[in-house]
Amino acid sequence: MKTAIILISEAGLHVARTLLAELPASGVFTLRHEEGCTHIDSAADFTAGNFSRYDAFIFIGAMGICIRSIAPCIKDKYTDPAVLCIDSTGKYVVSVLSGHIGGANELTMEAAGILGAEPVVTTQSDRSGLWALDTLPQRFGWTPVVSAPVSSSFVPPSTLPSGEKERACMNRHISLFVSGKPTALLLTVRDEGTDWMEAHLPSHVAVFYRPEDIEPSRFELILCVSPQVPRFTETPMICYVPRALHLGIGLARQAGPTREVLTAIEETLKEQGIVPAAIASISTIDAKSEEPVVKALQKEYTVNFHTAEELASIEVPHPSPTVMKHMGTASVCEAAALLTAANSQLLLPKVKGANYTVAAAIDGGMMRRGHIEIVGAGPGDPELISVRGRRLLEKADLILYAGSLVPRELTHCAKPGATVLSSASMDLKEQFRVMKTFYDKGLFIVRLHTGDPCIYGAIQEQMNYFDQHGMSYHITPGISSFQAAAAALKSQFTIPEKVQSIILTRGEGRTPMPEREKLHLMARSQSTMCIFLSAGIAEQVQEELLQEYPKSTPVAVCYHLTWKDERIFRGELKDLAKIVKENKLTLTTMIVVGEAIGNREGLSRLYAHEFKHLFRK
């Protein structure tokens, strides 16, 4: 934001300079000549002459001077800049004007963070923790469509321009929301904004994913995020329209007049509740690239062209022998929409006009369909899961966690109504059945694995199943137990000039090891070795390692790393089997071997010169 920092009180110069250093595109304007600042004769005159030239004004000094300076300039919350006032000591940051739309509330929080000050925001939705409905479009790239019920007694004055009428309706709807009236939230797509809304759901809001599941009589307000505006004629509604639709267009040769064809297409889409703001792109066959209608569309939209061969590869619900005869593909509009959207399902099947056809599909990346997220839970401590992992758990409809390997406390953040199941007693077939049941309902599933799922996580079979069934999935990494071991041992596992490699491996038990990965062969490098899943064969592990490591090599046996009952036993390699046996260690135990354990000897050449003064006597 282009920001003018106006220094009213000289005592606040340090506050102004602190803000100047942290806020890009800002400048300080002072009534006195100060180094690095721009001199002005009057705060009121400067504000009046520059009110439309800056995105934000920050006054440092008395609130009264701030108010008198901006009062003659205030016109509209949709166009006025953000205005803040900070006392000269930098203790309070007050949002004065354009809190939501102008970004004053957000800037207040940012400035308070820079100064270590207390933010003062009086907007009701902010004070109550509710969504700011009028800022969601700007925040998430949506276009709002606001409607009032046919039977509503509230009618914006006819003298207002259309934009003002919509704003009046928006304000009316916002008042219903912040008053806590029963609100339905319809989400037909999924993007960053819908994920955020579900993660921060107010208590008076109920979520739905299909319009037919909503009983309008139960609600006084309907909010929705959808590229297709639903018809709820008896209930106030704000529909946030994301740019999520890919249209496919088929045209007769030299279809025209151009304006009439475009108008007819617009009317067809309007009848289906599709507004121009929902259109991400338009696609057709490359043979139509020189058509006047296509040329006209290119002025407003991104237009993609596909070959007949590409379109023919797409299975469509309404193939046409006539289109095949003339174009070499059984479909243009439906196939083009599906191909561009990377989707196999149409939102709008082919609609035929006098000299055109049109179809629409939702962008495949925004489809509200089933998804499986394989999440690394970390080594055990619930606080060691990633921020992303925690957020995914909070929005999951099903959490399937790996039994005794993952603390159940990690699932306590599940949202109300979520299903939380342990997979400890399930075989793979049962796990797949449960996940597939939720997936087919278009729900979000978290498969929670210990540590990092890609290291001895047994996820390969699951991914193979997901691939075979064309299921959407993704992996969120986690902190591995070998990292937790390094932290618990207060050790750097890679020490310059001593050891620069870490080997993650396991001993050969019931599962054979590749010949080239036998422990004694891996041990030849004298690297730091972290051995998983091998406490039950400790004697064998010790025997193999002693073929390459000295008997006195440091060893650590780590049980239940980061759990409440964590235990760590240190010793030498010659005593490894004894340590494991005497302490009855079996499952969830990691063995660490190598000179890096607890090593504090010397510094590398890189740092020795720089820090040598620390070691002088």
Side-chain angles (χ1 to χ4, degrees), residues 514-533:
E515 187 63 35
R516 63 184 180 278
E517 294 183 23
K518 299 288 187 180
L519 272 182
H520 68 277
L521 297 177
M522 303 289 281
R524 287 179 179 175
S525 68
Q526 302 288 293
S527 303
T528 302
M529 189 173 286
C530 300
I531 305 171
F532 292 72
L533 308 169

Side-chain angles (χ1 to χ4, degrees), residues 5 77 82 152 166 250 262 321 346 384 386 445 451 486 513 515 529 554:
I5 302 170
K77 74 173 185 178
S152 173
E166 187 170 81
L262 293 176
L346 290 165
L384 288 179
S386 67
I445 300 146
M513 292 289 286
E515 187 63 35
M529 189 173 286

Side-chain angles (χ1 to χ4, degrees), residues 10 12 18 26 180 183 186 214 224 243 251 255 258 283 306 323 329 339 423 485 500 509 511 539 542 570 615-616:
E10 301 165 11
T18 300
S26 64
T183 300
L186 172 63
I214 298 177
C224 69
R243 200 169 291 278
L251 293 168
T258 298
S283 300
H306 301 293
V323 175
T329 173
L339 183 59
S423 63
Q500 287 290 277
T511 303
E539 290 186 9
Q542 177 179 309
R570 298 172 184 252
F615 300 96
R616 290 176 182 157

Side-chain angles (χ1 to χ4, degrees), residues 332-354:
V332 171
C333 68
E334 290 187 332
L338 293 173
L339 183 59
T340 307
N343 199 344
S344 59
Q345 181 179 343
L346 290 165
L347 175 72
L348 176 64
K350 180 171 69 176
V351 177
K352 190 173 183 179

Side-chain angles (χ1 to χ4, degrees), residues 37-339:
C37 304
T38 301
H39 174 260
I40 58 175
D41 294 320
S42 163
D45 290 346
F46 175 80
T47 303
N50 295 275
F51 204 62
S52 61
R53 297 178 183 175
Y54 285 88
D55 301 310
F57 287 81
I58 300 177
F59 289 81
I60 301 176
M63 176 69 77
I65 297 177
C66 167
I67 297 299
R68 285 192 291 273
S69 297
I70 67 173
C73 310
I74 297 173
K75 294 180 179 178
D76 189 302
K77 74 173 185 178
Y78 293 96
T79 57
D80 290 338
V83 178
L84 278 59
C85 186
I86 304 175
D87 67 286
S88 58
T89 66
K91 186 176 181 180
Y92 299 103
V93 182
V94 184
S95 176
V96 178
L97 184 71
S98 296
H100 282 157
I101 301 299
N105 292 352
E106 187 174 348
L107 183 58
T108 294
M109 302 305 294
E110 183 179 1
I114 292 169
L115 300 172
E118 183 176 341
V120 180
V121 177
T122 58
T123 311
Q124 184 177 352
S125 58
D126 287 271
R127 301 310 303 169
S128 57
L130 297 175
W131 305 329
L133 299 184
D134 48 358
T135 66
L136 295 180
Q138 181 179 3
R139 180 174 180 181
F140 298 119
W142 300 331
T143 299
V145 174
V146 185
S147 64
V150 175
S151 59
S152 173
S153 59
F154 173 74
V155 180
S158 58
T159 55
L160 290 176
S162 59
E164 292 297 323
K165 290 180 182 179
E166 187 170 81
R167 291 173 188 172
C169 282
M170 172 76 87
N171 290 337
R172 177 80 169 186
H173 295 1
I174 290 172
S175 68
L176 293 171
F177 182 73
V178 298
S179 298
K181 301 300 183 184
T183 300
L185 174 63
L186 172 63
L187 305 175
T188 68
V189 293
R190 169 173 274 149
D191 63 7
E192 177 190 0
T194 62
D195 285 348
W196 180 85
M197 294 176 88
E198 289 195 271
H200 301 84
L201 199 67
S203 59
H204 67 289
V205 177
V207 181
F208 300 89
Y209 303 113
R210 302 186 307 169
E212 57 266 32
D213 293 337
I214 298 177
E215 297 179 31
S217 60
R218 290 178 48 206
F219 302 100
E220 295 189 38
L221 176 66
I222 295 175
L223 306 175
C224 69
V225 181
S226 174
Q228 188 175 33
V229 181
R231 291 182 173 88
F232 292 109
T233 58
E234 299 301 320
T235 308
M237 181 184 70
I238 304 174
C239 183
Y240 298 103
V241 179
R243 200 169 291 278
L245 288 188
H246 297 279
L247 299 188
I249 300 288
L251 293 168
R253 187 173 179 276
Q254 292 297 311
T258 298
R259 176 39 53 192
E260 290 184 11
V261 175
L262 293 176
T263 300
I265 292 173
E266 289 173 5
E267 287 300 316
T268 297
L269 296 175
K270 184 177 179 181
E271 290 171 4
Q272 300 296 325
I274 297 174
V275 297
I279 300 172
S281 75
I282 296 175
S283 300
T284 189
I285 192 167
D286 56 1
K288 298 295 181 180
S289 60
E290 298 302 317
E291 288 285 341
V293 171
V294 173
K295 293 291 187 182
L297 288 170
Q298 285 181 305
K299 295 177 181 179
E300 297 185 48
Y301 301 101
T302 298
V303 178
N304 305 300
F305 298 102
H306 301 293
T307 65
E309 184 179 9
E310 289 171 332
L311 296 175
S313 68
I314 304 299
E315 185 176 342
V316 297
H318 304 101
S320 168
T322 302
V323 175
M324 173 62 81
K325 178 181 177 181
H326 293 285
M327 306 305 301
T329 173
S331 171
V332 171
C333 68
E334 290 187 332
L338 293 173
L339 183 59

